[in-house]
Amino acid sequence: MNMRTKSLYPFAGQYCPVDIFGYASNGIPGIEIVGLGKYSRSMKEKFIYLSRERKLRFPLKRFVLCIEGEVEGKKFKEEEYRYLELPLLLMLWSLTGHLPLGHLEDCFASGKISVEGEVSALLLNNQEQENLNEIFKLDDDQVLKIIAPEKTAVFSDYYHLPLEALFASLIKS
């Protein structure tokens, strides 16, 4: 199974777009995060912890999550890279079959996740949200789905997929 989605992270006062893609294969079981350098390991361990807290069991497969964009080599301030945690975790739980998402191609998510499972979404104003179509080079007929907490104000042209509803639908195995 393959998946792809879009995200942004703040860096030096601007928002940097990234593509996130992932796949599951029959290789040696485990989780690998590629593209975040030294930050990958702690993020992976947090995902394992959050999954265990929710009693989610993973199939014996190799799950690879990759970030493509200008991330590697950047010196982040105040853990800006953490805004990639939400889309990466959503992709992992989708690849493992725990979230009922067939694909994430037309979805956008950006947010940090605490070890308690609380999400701090990247807050974009209406103008910044309106620019997402241009930033991600979407076709005029594509409707972007924004995955964010229920209380998040979402630009009217987009579909809001509340995070709480997604997390409530987690399938335990």
Side-chain angles (χ1 to χ4, degrees):
M1 176 186 279
N2 298 323
M3 288 193 162
R4 182 177 169 189
T5 194
K6 300 153 188 57
S7 190
L8 294 174
Y9 66 93
F11 182 77
Q14 60 184 353
Y15 294 120
C16 301
V18 292
D19 276 322
I20 297 174
F21 62 95
Y23 63 89
S25 70
N26 289 325
I28 297 172
I31 301 168
E32 182 178 358
I33 299 174
V34 178
L36 282 177
K38 65 182 182 181
Y39 305 111
S40 294
R41 178 157 179 135
S42 63
M43 198 176 288
K44 176 182 96 164
E45 296 302 331
K46 181 186 285 188
F47 295 170
I48 291 169
Y49 174 80
L50 290 169
S51 299
R52 285 183 176 181
E53 281 292 300
R54 292 179 183 263
K55 297 181 180 16
L56 303 178
R57 296 178 51 90
F58 292 0
L60 291 176
K61 291 186 176 269
R62 178 175 180 243
F63 299 97
V64 180
L65 308 173
C66 304
I67 296 95
E68 179 150 311
E70 298 179 25
V71 178
E72 192 92 34
K74 290 200 172 179
K75 296 192 189 293
F76 292 101
K77 295 179 184 173
E78 299 179 25
E79 301 180 334
E80 296 160 320
Y81 69 93
R82 289 194 52 219
Y83 282 96
L84 299 174
E85 288 175 342
L86 178 60
L88 286 166
L89 184 61
L90 291 172
M91 182 167 290
L92 176 64
W93 284 351
S94 295
L95 287 169
T96 59
H98 294 297
L99 283 177
L101 297 170
H103 66 87
L104 298 168
E105 186 73 30
D106 56 352
C107 294
F108 167 81
S110 182
K112 300 187 277 185
I113 302 174
S114 73
V115 292
E116 291 83 21
E118 295 172 12
V119 175
S120 300
L122 181 64
L123 299 177
L124 303 173
N125 64 35
N126 264 353
Q127 184 62 47
E128 292 165 336
Q129 286 184 38
E130 190 174 351
N131 291 338
L132 290 175
N133 275 352
E134 186 179 316
I135 289 171
F136 295 122
K137 298 172 179 59
L138 299 178
D139 295 333
D140 291 336
D141 62 339
Q142 277 186 291
V143 177
L144 191 63
K145 294 178 184 78
I146 300 200
I147 301 172
E150 204 165 25
K151 64 182 181 232
T152 306
V154 174
F155 181 62
S156 61
D157 286 359
Y158 301 139
Y159 179 78
H160 183 197
L161 189 55
L163 193 56
E164 294 83 356
L166 262 184
F167 282 179
S169 70
L170 279 170
I171 302 163
K172 295 182 178 160
S173 56

